[in-house]
Amino acid sequence: MSFLAKKWAERKANPTPKWRRLEHQILAVVAFFSISAGLWENFRQLWLETNDFAAPEVSNILSLGMFIGVAGIMITGKFVRMAQIKNLVTVTLMARLLNFLALYCLNFAGNRLMIDLCIIIDVATAYIIITSMYPLLTTVMKSNTAYSRRRLVEYLFRDVGIAIGGVLIGHQLGQWFFDYNGCLLVAAAFLAIAIILMYRMEVEITARPPKQQLSIVRLVMNSKVQRVYAVYNFLSSVSFMAAVGLKMLVFTNMFDFSASAATNCLLVVGLIADLIGILALKFFTPKNDYVTMTLKFGIRLIAFVIAAITNNPFICFIAFIWALLSSTAYENISDGYYINAIDNRHQLKYSTFRHVVSYLGEAVGMFICGRMYDFGLAAMLGLSAAILVVQMGVAYYLIFIRQRDGANDFRRVPNAKHKLLDIFKFK
């Protein structure tokens, strides 16, 4: 008891800073939203399949939802200011919750038009929420590690959602049987918790927007680094989604996994990927950024090429798994530099632009994945490898021009952040 009393006295004497509490609250919202998204999106493709959607049709509706989601992001980015970011996220979370309930009622109803509309809303609201979370976090703090922390929280708790789905799917609790639709209702419950946490949060916007609003397109176009990064971001999304966009259908239809076994496999892979991302961030980031990018994408490229040439099911399985395992590693190098170089006052618009580019790539990749699905996994991986070759070339060139212009590693060069910010000054 004396130990607990001492700890309580120390906590009162040294209270947690307000910015740290706000960061924890924002990450808690990210966590509950990610649980909900992981639980539902893991089964969404199979839910559509049970409602008589073929694999190419699943690809079509998801890619269409992504394109429309991008349009929604552009509209909100145009008219929403940083001071309104909390309200935007809260309202979007509520709209997503209502859409979940609508999808629950539409299961086996045979109304394909309404299902299409709800899936589009589902994808669009997820994109808007994810797009808005890091700008919200930058009102509290901004650093390469903060960006990686937010991403790792998202990835980790998506895996928690997948784990919950793996435990629940196919089981019965009292009179309640947990099929895909039952898991959708559980996802709605976690989403409701995220809404409550977001509603109770008190965020103060300290960085006021400039009197003359600057076009984010002009900001990007006046920086060669940012222009090349936009191309890299697009190609990265295309190559990844072209390979793994329909992963649940690949596991259940090509590898003959049950829904439960596929979920458990993806859970284990996701947890290992999170661990790789954490260890890479803490201990295994090479000093040479070229080596870092080669580790992230070079091994994936080799695995994809071998799988495409051999068309061996086991090799295809290994290549597919490795793509998922390497997805979260070294994001502080591949993305963190360029995001944190932007002033807080422009973070919302820049985050909108960056996510628009990324999501356009995902939509294109998902569409490609659906077109290649009937040709087999080897064909999917082979086409992804071809795109990956171009992506790696752009990634190496991006590192070259960043280092040539004096944008060195923040971890090792004093005041390097200010040098990088100078790159984005207008001409």
Side-chain angles (χ1 to χ4, degrees), residues 32-324:
F32 279 103
F33 167 77
S34 298
I35 292 173
S36 173
L39 177 56
W40 162 236
E41 293 175 7
N42 183 57
F43 294 127
R44 182 170 58 193
Q45 295 173 13
L46 299 179
W47 187 93
L48 287 169
E49 189 177 49
T50 59
N51 279 274
D52 298 325
F53 284 75
E57 292 175 318
V58 172
S59 169
N60 289 342
I61 186 59
L62 291 179
S63 59
L64 178 60
M66 291 172 182
F67 280 119
I68 296 178
V70 166
I73 291 170
M74 294 174 68
I75 292 171
T76 56
K78 176 70 175 178
F79 297 105
V80 176
R81 295 173 295 179
M82 281 294 285
Q84 301 169 316
I85 187 72
K86 175 181 177 290
N87 292 337
L88 170 67
V89 176
T90 304
V91 170
T92 310
L93 285 168
M94 291 179 177
R96 184 174 172 85
L97 178 60
L98 293 175
N99 191 62
F100 272 13
L101 298 177
L103 280 169
Y104 178 81
C105 296
L106 286 169
N107 189 44
F108 296 130
N111 193 333
R112 293 174 68 93
L113 180 61
M114 286 302 299
I115 291 176
D116 288 348
L117 178 61
C118 286
I119 292 296
I120 289 170
I121 294 173
D122 176 40
V123 175
T125 53
Y127 276 13
I128 292 171
I129 293 165
I130 294 170
T131 303
S132 304
M133 277 302 178
Y134 187 64
L136 182 63
L137 185 59
T138 60
T139 63
V140 178
M141 67 176 299
K142 181 172 73 170
S143 68
N144 279 9
T145 53
Y147 173 76
S148 291
R149 263 201 306 273
R150 200 278 298 172
R151 294 287 284 179
L152 288 172
V153 166
E154 179 188 341
Y155 292 142
L156 178 61
F157 283 92
R158 277 181 181 268
D159 292 336
V160 172
I162 294 173
I164 294 172
V167 171
L168 294 179
I169 192 69
H171 290 84
Q172 188 161 343
L173 182 63
Q175 299 296 317
W176 190 267
F177 180 73
F178 289 99
D179 55 4
Y180 303 138
N181 218 38
C183 290
L184 172 59
L185 202 59
V186 176
F190 282 104
L191 189 62
I193 297 174
I195 292 171
I196 294 170
L197 293 175
M198 178 58 80
Y199 181 78
R200 292 172 59 87
M201 190 186 307
E202 297 180 2
V203 177
E204 296 179 5
I205 306 298
T206 57
R208 298 183 180 274
K211 293 181 180 179
Q212 293 183 342
Q213 292 291 331
L214 300 175
S215 167
I216 195 63
V217 175
R218 185 184 174 194
L219 177 68
V220 171
M221 295 307 294
N222 277 276
S223 165
K224 187 174 184 178
V225 172
Q226 283 291 332
R227 292 198 302 269
V228 177
Y229 174 65
V231 175
Y232 161 79
N233 192 18
F234 176 79
L235 292 173
S236 176
S237 298
V238 173
S239 66
F240 186 74
M241 290 299 287
V244 305
L246 296 174
K247 58 179 179 289
M248 278 301 286
L249 295 181
V250 168
F251 271 101
T252 54
N253 297 336
M254 294 185 180
F255 296 140
D256 295 325
F257 280 54
S258 67
S260 178
T263 298
N264 292 333
C265 182
L266 286 173
L267 170 64
V268 172
V269 169
L271 291 174
I272 296 174
D274 293 334
L275 180 61
I276 291 174
I278 294 169
L279 293 177
L281 179 65
K282 290 288 186 180
F283 305 111
F284 299 118
T285 301
K287 293 184 178 180
N288 187 308
D289 288 346
Y290 292 101
V291 175
T292 302
M293 298 304 285
T294 302
L295 287 174
K296 183 173 177 66
F297 297 115
I299 300 174
R300 184 189 300 179
L301 174 62
I302 293 171
F304 280 10
V305 170
I306 294 174
I309 292 173
T310 62
N311 197 19
N312 181 284
F314 178 74
I315 295 177
C316 288
F317 177 78
I318 296 299
F320 194 84
I321 293 297
W322 177 251
L324 298 173

Side-chain angles (χ1 to χ4, degrees), residues 318-369:
I318 296 299
F320 194 84
I321 293 297
W322 177 251
L324 298 173
L325 286 174
S326 60
S327 60
T328 64
Y330 299 127
E331 288 190 332
N332 57 320
I333 303 299
S334 63
D335 298 284
Y337 287 122
Y338 316 103
I339 296 166
N340 290 318
I342 302 299
D343 187 88
N344 273 2
R345 295 172 298 175
H346 308 298
Q347 270 291 336
L348 178 58
K349 290 186 180 297
Y350 178 74
S351 180
T352 299
F353 173 83
R354 189 180 68 85
H355 281 87
V356 162
V357 173
S358 177
Y359 293 151
L360 281 174
E362 288 186 5
V364 172
M366 176 65 78
F367 181 79
I368 292 172
C369 186

